[in-house]
Amino acid sequence: MKFAKPQTSDPIEGRNPWEPELLNESYKEDGKRSLWVDYCTNSTIHGFKVWWIIVCLLSLYGCGNLIHSVYKKWDREPVVVTFAEKPAPVFTIPFPAVTICPETKVRKKDLDFTTAYQLFNDEELWQFMADEQIAKLEALLQVCDFSFGVEMNNESYADDVVEYLQKMAIPFEDIFLMCGWREHVVDCKDFFKQTLTEAGICYTFNSLSVDDLMRRDQLHAEYEYMLENETAKLWSMDDGYLGRAGEQTYPRRAFGAGRRAGMFVILKVQKYDMDYLCGGFKVHLHSPVQYPRMLNQFFRIPLSQEVSVSIDPILFDTAPSVRRYNPQRRLCYYNHERYLRYFKVYSKFNCDIECLSNYTLKTCGCVPFSLPRSQDARICGLGKASCTDEALSVLEEMDLLHELNRTDNFLEHCNCLPSCNAIFYNTEISQAMFDWRKLAENIHVIAGVTNETELSYLSIHFKVSRFIPIKRSELFGISDFLANCGGVLGLFMGVSILSIVEIIYYCTLKPIMARTRANARSYTANVIKPALILPPKEFGPAVGTRQRKGSNKW
């Protein structure tokens, strides 16, 4: 029996010469590894696996910046305004409300406005005017454009101005001659109802009733602002027309474009009642939920002229997914979210009217007769004309003054955001001569007019039968935000949902599992590990393998 030859060189220090070599040193257990080393060794994120620390930090910084910018954009502007995917028919929206105001406010036999105005400006003759004549003149000066804004007297209050305007108003039948709706001649009294505006006594078609639009319990009881009494039972601004709303629903709606699907009206005025200081007609188109304001948005109808108005509607519709956002984030109000003191239906125009009323009362101590007011507020007279005009101007310039830090922004207290669902009516106006006298020779219905009569023709219709609404929708939903964040992380770090689960596992589950195993081992009995008995060192390491000598037993 031959033994292995003694080793000629010293064995490697710290190494058992009898231990077989391993192919991969990484599989040696060199002691307990840290969690960070374990994660970096097994992570699927490339940066950690190859120890590109600098690249990983820069990528993390870029990811954080981009995700933060996406979140800020989502938080600051979560709503985007775009055009809808498909057009909507015009019968899904109401026909516009039409308010017509005659500029001739009074008959000559009741008051000659021009003569009275000239007498009142004369320092010697005005004292010979009757008190009743002066009271009527002062009432008309509040509604006539031809007053130059001059304060005719120093009266601060005019509590009886509406009473005088109603007494002097020209009768309805002396203003409207004929009305038509969708090719049918209708009774004008059934379609146009009296409305009080800053232009005096006007008449409105297709507006909500006073009970649907205004809060009577908050208003004074001295006079009515509107006389419309037909209610809208199957329509609302936020929900539109209900499915069971038929052809004769209210507010009225058109079913197509062109004159045949719209309305027309023939207006008249007597020449002997015309006053060139205050005459003509004003027309204002507005939403049925809006209280009319004739101050800025109107067009005129000249006498003996035919005016054709073509309407291009603009509908703002808000997606249901936007409802969950705060109104200050989506920058609009639904009707139930904003309470107005004088109006039941919220719109930006109604809110602006209420804001102007409150601001004028605060500034001047009174309210113009056409604005809603409470029982304890008084009506401004001619002595407050400059104050009310200044209040209106200051309120219109409030945003600019606030930017210059010159005044408190009263508009912030008003908080008049746009309505989430609103309708606007853009108009295209064409005009031509209306030779009604030749027409009267052939049509009996207007044959009763005389040479002292002047007529005007107004027709209003939709320009197109279908239009494209404007839609408010989410800029980012939850899925869109996650997709943006996931795309940024995937681009910079190669991170996926599995990578995030992996990080959570190494931060939570694995330390808990390791601690649980350590506690379990501490309660088990010590197990004696088997040991390999090696030959003494003086014999040296085994060289080669032993082989049995071959023998041939044969």
Side-chain angles (χ1 to χ4, degrees):
M1 184 176 185
K2 296 183 180 180
F3 294 94
K5 293 183 180 180
Q7 185 177 354
T8 57
S9 59
D10 295 335
I12 299 175
E13 185 177 357
R15 176 179 172 184
N16 192 338
W18 295 91
E19 183 179 2
E21 294 184 1
L22 297 177
L23 295 176
N24 190 349
E25 296 292 334
S26 65
Y27 286 92
K28 291 183 178 181
E29 293 292 339
D30 295 332
K32 187 176 181 180
R33 290 185 299 181
S34 66
L35 187 64
W36 172 252
V37 174
D38 191 13
Y39 171 70
C40 293
T41 303
N42 298 284
S43 174
T44 59
I45 302 178
H46 309 300
F48 290 108
K49 196 164 186 177
V50 298
W51 296 94
W52 291 354
I53 300 298
I54 297 177
V55 176
C56 288
L57 293 177
L58 291 176
S59 297
L60 284 174
Y61 178 76
C63 284
N65 273 344
L66 290 177
I67 292 176
H68 181 64
S69 64
V70 171
Y71 176 78
K72 284 179 62 179
K73 185 176 182 180
W74 183 37
D75 183 66
R76 184 177 62 253
E77 299 174 353
V79 177
V80 61
V81 179
T82 58
F83 287 103
E85 295 83 3
K86 58 182 181 179
V90 293
F91 60 76
T92 59
I93 61 173
F95 197 79
V98 182
T99 299
I100 300 177
C101 298
E103 290 293 323
T104 302
K105 310 295 183 183
V106 61
R107 287 176 170 177
K108 279 288 182 67
K109 65 179 182 179
D110 294 330
L111 179 70
D112 190 336
F113 179 78
T114 303
T115 303
Y117 184 82
Q118 294 172 349
L119 288 175
F120 199 83
N121 279 301
D122 193 298
E123 296 180 357
E124 298 180 357
L125 298 179
W126 74 270
Q127 55 187 336
F128 298 103
M129 296 178 65
D131 294 339
E132 182 77 7
Q133 189 179 17
I134 294 177
K136 290 181 178 180
L137 176 63
E138 291 175 350
L140 288 177
L141 285 173
Q142 294 209 39
V143 298
C144 182
D145 293 337
F146 195 81
S147 59
F148 302 107
V150 177
E151 298 177 4
M152 303 298 295
N153 58 21
N154 57 0
E155 293 291 335
S156 299
Y157 306 106
D159 296 325
D160 55 354
V161 59
V162 177
E163 180 182 355
Y164 277 102
L165 290 176
Q166 291 175 341
K167 286 181 179 179
M168 293 185 294
I170 296 178
F172 182 90
E173 55 273 10
D174 289 343
I175 299 175
F176 293 89
L177 179 64
M178 184 190 305
C179 298
W181 170 246
R182 295 197 326 226
E183 288 192 294
H184 298 286
V185 177
V186 296
D187 188 354
C188 295
K189 287 186 177 181
D190 295 336
F191 274 59
F192 285 89
K193 299 301 174 66
Q194 182 176 305
T195 304
L196 187 65
T197 72
E198 64 273 17
I201 305 299
C202 302
Y203 300 91
T204 302
F205 161 80
N206 209 38
S207 175
L208 292 186
S209 68
V210 61
D211 292 325
D212 290 342
L213 185 60
M214 308 188 78
R215 303 183 190 273
R216 289 193 175 187
D217 56 334
Q218 299 293 331
L219 296 169
H220 61 87
E222 299 173 15
Y223 51 84
E224 294 285 349
Y225 287 90
M226 304 173 61
L227 296 183
E228 180 63 64
N229 55 7
E230 191 166 357
T231 60
K233 298 179 180 179
L234 302 178
W235 178 83
S236 67
M237 191 67 256
D238 287 339
D239 300 326
Y241 287 100
L242 299 182
R244 64 179 185 274
E247 182 179 352
Q248 302 300 327
T249 187
Y250 192 85
R252 300 175 180 89
R253 53 180 176 172
F255 290 89
R259 290 192 177 188
R260 298 170 62 88
M263 60 92 65
F264 73 88
V265 58
I266 299 178
L267 304 171
K268 67 177 180 178
V269 62
Q270 301 297 333
K271 290 183 179 180
Y272 50 79
D273 287 334
M274 291 174 55
D275 201 307
Y276 294 96
L277 293 184
C278 197
F281 293 97
K282 288 182 178 179
V283 181
H284 174 40
L285 303 185
H286 54 92
S287 171
V289 301
Q290 175 188 340
Y291 191 82
R293 286 277 291 170
M294 306 297 297
L295 187 63
N296 297 321
Q297 300 177 351
F298 68 89
F299 59 90
R300 293 184 181 274
I301 303 178
L303 300 179
S304 299
Q305 293 285 316
E306 177 183 353
V307 177
S308 177
V309 181
S310 179
I311 302 171
D312 189 8
I314 300 176
L315 173 64
F316 279 88
D317 188 21
T318 302
S321 58
V322 180
R323 281 181 178 263
R324 68 174 182 267
Y325 290 101
N326 185 279
Q328 303 302 325
R329 293 188 63 195
R330 61 172 128 90
L331 299 178
C332 69
Y333 281 120
Y334 287 96
N335 185 47
H336 67 279
E337 294 177 331
R338 180 72 167 86
Y339 175 83
L340 296 178
R341 180 182 180 184
Y342 301 122
F343 295 97
K344 291 183 179 179
V345 181
Y346 177 83
S347 71
K348 188 180 185 307
F349 296 98
N350 296 342
C351 183
D352 289 337
I353 291 174
E354 187 167 306
C355 181
L356 176 61
S357 176
N358 295 333
Y359 186 73
T360 307
L361 179 62
K362 176 183 176 182
T363 305
C364 305
C366 58
V367 178
F369 71 91
S370 61
L371 298 179
R373 59 183 177 88
S374 60
Q375 185 66 41
D376 55 347
R378 301 190 64 181
I379 300 176
C380 294
L382 290 177
K384 293 285 187 178
S386 60
C387 181
T388 57
D389 291 342
E390 184 179 357
L392 177 60
S393 300
V394 170
L395 199 61
E396 291 176 344
E397 300 172 359
M398 189 70 74
D399 287 335
L400 176 60
L401 297 176
H402 181 68
E403 292 291 334
L404 300 176
N405 295 323
R406 289 168 50 187
T407 181
D408 294 330
N409 196 347
F410 189 84
L411 292 178
E412 292 182 357
H413 304 286
C414 298
N415 196 19
C416 293
L417 294 176
S419 301
C420 291
N421 298 299
I423 305 175
F424 303 94
Y425 301 94
N426 285 343
T427 58
E428 294 181 6
I429 302 175
S430 60
Q431 183 175 321
M433 291 295 299
F434 182 43
D435 195 354
W436 63 270
R437 287 180 172 84
K438 287 188 177 181
L439 186 63
E441 296 175 358
N442 301 316
I443 300 179
H444 177 70
V445 72
I446 61 175
V449 297
T450 66
N451 290 330
E452 295 297 322
T453 305
E454 288 292 343
L455 301 183
S456 299
Y457 182 88
L458 171 66
S459 65
I460 303 174
H461 56 272
F462 283 115
K463 181 179 180 180
V464 293
S465 59
R466 291 180 177 269
F467 65 99
I468 299 179
I470 297 176
K471 187 176 182 180
R472 287 187 181 92
S473 56
E474 284 184 304
L475 177 63
F476 289 121
I478 297 297
S479 58
D480 299 322
F481 179 72
L482 291 177
N484 273 274
C485 295
V488 172
L489 289 171
L491 178 64
F492 281 82
M493 301 294 298
V495 175
S496 64
I497 294 294
L498 294 178
S499 304
I500 298 175
V501 173
E502 184 181 72
I503 294 174
I504 295 174
Y505 167 74
Y506 274 93
C507 293
T508 57
L509 294 179
K510 188 158 186 177
I512 295 174
M513 294 170 61
R515 191 178 300 110
T516 303
R517 281 197 221 98
N519 294 336
R521 284 197 299 267
S522 64
Y523 290 103
T524 58
N526 293 329
V527 179
I528 300 176
K529 295 182 179 180
L532 179 63
I533 301 176
L534 300 176
K537 293 182 179 181
E538 57 267 19
F539 289 98
V543 179
T545 58
R546 292 182 179 178
Q547 296 181 356
R548 185 183 298 274
K549 289 184 179 181
S551 60
N552 190 348
K553 61 181 180 178
W554 304 103

